[in-house]
Amino acid sequence: MTNNVVIKGILVVLTALVLNFYFFSIDLRFMPAVNTKMVLAGFGLFVLACQLARKRNALIDKDTFVLSVCAALVSLAGFVSVVYNDTFDYTYATYLISMWVWLSAAYMAVTWIRWMHGTVSVFIVCNYLIALGVSQCALALGMEFYAPLKQVVYSMLDEGTVAFMTQKDRLMGFGVGLDVAGSRFAAILIMIPFVCMQYRQKAVRYMPLYVLAFFIICVIGNMIGRTTTVGAVLAVLSFIVFSKFYQMDGFHKRLGFWITGLLAVIVPICSVAYNMVPEFHDLLRFGFEGFFSLAEKGEWDVHSNEMLKEGFIFPDNPKTWLIGDGYFGSTDSNPYYTGRRWAGFYGGSDVGYSRFLYYFGLVGLLAFSFFMFKACMVCMRRFDKLKYMFLVLLALNFIYWLKVSTDIFLVFALFLCISKEENDAYVERMELRSSR
């Protein structure tokens, strides 16, 4: 019996690691040419081919075809801009390939979960993602305060990744940091209240863990990527709006009890650490710089505010507004470029909307927005009881583009690999067990 529990525990950890390699893609030292997402995508395509050979539906259906067409339109907009402007920046001209790499890698991760649990559902995937978020935060904090752990993690990462992480004076996880980590953590925070609301009978038993996970990701996640705050705000607003909080039934009272109790423990701990541990003091001030500024100066002031304001730069001619200039990154990639040399990204902007406009104009931006919208709509239609979760995730994507160009299709891709029938069957079994 004990051996079975140990083996099952090892398999669960291994499953979480596979999902981590997808959701928090890493460049490992022993395979510098590809990252873990690409490796999973390769296995995913192999599994997909085997399932198609057995005449199973696998991943190929009408929704996947429509999304592929939408992604092809994004690629077409990028290709037209690149060819017309005679550039070499094919970042989004190959987005159809990128979409299928993410989808294939997600398919492999979901297939692994199905193999482990005998089934897969939105509930299972969300729980794994929540556990991953907490694990990454705990690991990041451990690496900061325990040098041998940092050395062990760095020894597994590609040298380029290590060089990037060491030059950034902030918390980092297992290849996780900056705005990319912020978007992932924000998405996970949004999932927590919806999991608790939709699977109330099951979640009520683990409510303290969900509340604790929310606080951990919210606090430590902000130390890694401050845009985690966006997810926290959307998660709280979602719970207030969609849970009928004003009714205050037993579920809400229990939740309020655990939130109050955990805050009574977490706040004093953070306060003591803030005043007695210099490293934690600096990390907390960095992660919540805006809140400290609001308390001390009476105004919201973050170091990146001015950079963000300066990043809202828009085209000054009709051609660029329409199809862009064909540059997404640095112009240094084009040896024949003779225009203005930008210190960073083309146009001097890091803002997502500005970068998209400069790359493939309004045509490309609208095509890309429609692609994200369509991915959301497929998930909403397939899992109608959780439709508002996917709607809020879509809102997160468009809000996030106000800062950087990272999209969260990888979040939708996981759920696109789960069938409605399989998810509904799992929910029915869960409700049946809860009613007994």
Side-chain angles (χ1 to χ4, degrees):
M1 181 68 176
T2 303
N3 290 336
N4 290 337
V5 172
V6 172
I7 293 173
K8 186 175 181 180
I10 293 173
L11 290 174
V12 168
V13 172
L14 185 59
T15 303
L17 187 61
V18 171
L19 187 59
N20 184 87
F21 285 156
Y22 166 79
F23 202 70
F24 297 105
S25 184
I26 303 166
D27 295 300
L28 297 174
R29 190 177 294 268
F30 59 87
M31 51 178 195
V34 295
N35 58 35
T36 53
K37 171 196 65 182
M38 297 177 183
V39 173
L40 284 177
F43 283 115
L45 286 174
F46 175 76
V47 172
L48 179 61
C50 290
Q51 292 188 347
L52 286 174
R54 295 175 183 175
K55 296 183 178 180
R56 296 175 59 180
N57 291 332
L59 186 61
I60 308 299
D61 57 16
K62 179 182 176 182
D63 291 333
T64 307
F65 175 75
V66 172
L67 283 173
S68 297
V69 171
C70 294
L73 293 176
V74 178
S75 295
L76 179 61
F79 183 74
V80 169
S81 182
V82 167
V83 172
Y84 183 87
N85 292 287
D86 194 23
T87 70
F88 296 88
D89 193 336
Y90 287 87
T91 303
Y92 280 90
T94 56
Y95 191 75
L96 176 60
I97 297 174
S98 298
M99 172 219 159
W100 268 98
V101 169
W102 279 116
L103 204 55
S104 300
Y107 190 70
M108 184 65 227
V110 169
T111 299
W112 188 288
I113 294 174
R114 183 182 292 110
W115 171 77
M116 171 61 197
H117 294 273
T119 186
V120 69
S121 68
V122 175
F123 180 74
I124 293 175
V125 171
C126 285
N127 280 324
Y128 266 108
L129 291 176
I130 293 167
L132 283 180
V134 172
S135 300
Q136 283 284 1
C137 290
L139 180 62
L141 205 60
M143 289 168 60
E144 181 68 20
F145 290 96
Y146 188 62
L149 178 60
K150 180 183 287 188
Q151 293 302 319
V152 170
V153 173
Y154 280 5
S155 67
M156 293 185 284
L157 300 177
D158 174 67
E159 293 180 1
T161 303
V162 174
F164 174 78
M165 292 174 68
T166 52
Q167 74 179 7
K168 298 294 183 181
D169 186 22
R170 63 173 69 181
L171 219 57
M172 296 279 186
F174 188 23
V176 173
L178 303 178
D179 294 314
V180 172
S183 65
R184 269 66 160 179
F185 288 144
I188 292 172
L189 287 176
I190 289 170
M191 294 175 193
I192 293 176
F194 283 100
V195 167
C196 291
M197 287 186 289
Q198 178 59 40
Y199 306 102
R200 182 175 296 198
Q201 294 85 355
K202 185 81 171 178
V204 71
R205 297 172 53 192
Y206 305 101
M207 189 175 292
L209 296 179
Y210 284 120
V211 176
L212 181 60
F214 187 90
F215 285 143
I216 290 174
I217 298 173
C218 191
V219 174
I220 303 177
N222 262 291
M223 298 176 183
I224 301 173
R226 286 185 291 200
T227 44
T228 302
T229 302
V230 179
V233 172
L234 290 175
V236 172
L237 291 176
S238 297
F239 185 78
I240 293 173
V241 173
F242 299 118
S243 74
K244 298 180 180 179
F245 194 73
Y246 55 86
Q247 293 183 352
M248 287 301 293
D249 58 14
F251 172 79
H252 294 102
K253 292 177 181 177
R254 185 181 177 91
L255 178 63
F257 169 79
W258 281 111
I259 291 176
T260 304
L262 287 172
L263 279 176
V265 175
I266 293 172
V267 171
I269 291 176
C270 289
S271 179
V272 171
Y274 175 79
N275 289 287
M276 297 186 66
V277 183
E279 295 85 358
F280 192 82
H281 174 278
D282 296 338
L283 288 171
L284 203 59
R285 289 197 70 91
F286 168 80
F288 297 90
E289 183 181 358
F291 295 96
F292 280 104
S293 174
L294 191 62
E296 296 169 356
K297 303 177 184 178
E299 60 180 5
W300 184 275
D301 184 23
V302 181
H303 175 68
S304 58
N305 278 355
E306 290 302 319
M307 296 173 58
L308 185 61
K309 291 177 183 176
E310 295 172 358
F312 281 95
I313 305 170
F314 299 101
D316 58 2
N317 63 86
K319 188 271 293 183
T320 306
W321 270 104
L322 186 62
I323 65 168
D325 290 339
Y327 285 106
F328 189 74
S330 172
T331 55
D332 293 340
S333 61
N334 187 353
Y336 304 106
Y337 179 76
T338 58
R340 175 181 174 180
R341 294 284 174 178
W342 302 95
F345 299 115
Y346 180 78
S349 174
D350 191 23
V351 171
Y353 288 107
S354 295
R355 293 186 69 189
F356 290 139
L357 287 172
Y358 276 114
Y359 183 70
F360 46 26
L362 280 171
V363 172
L365 177 59
L366 291 175
F368 197 17
S369 299
F370 182 74
F371 168 77
M372 295 301 303
F373 173 79
K374 191 62 181 178
C376 174
M377 291 301 104
V378 171
C379 292
M380 289 179 66
R381 187 178 68 252
R382 191 175 295 181
F383 314 109
D384 58 310
K385 292 183 179 180
L386 282 166
K387 60 184 178 181
Y388 293 120
M389 182 182 83
F390 297 109
L391 195 60
V392 176
L393 286 170
L394 180 65
L396 170 68
N397 181 83
F398 291 134
I399 293 172
Y400 215 72
W401 282 355
L402 292 170
K403 190 176 187 298
V404 292
S405 57
T406 301
D407 70 87
I408 61 168
F409 173 70
L410 82 160
V411 179
F412 292 119
L414 282 169
F415 303 107
L416 290 170
C417 297
I418 304 173
S419 70
K420 175 178 175 60
E421 293 75 19
E422 190 171 19
N423 182 75
D424 289 346
Y426 178 85
V427 173
E428 287 177 8
R429 291 194 301 270
M430 184 191 301
E431 292 175 347
L432 183 61
R433 287 196 297 267
S434 299
S435 62
R436 289 176 179 172

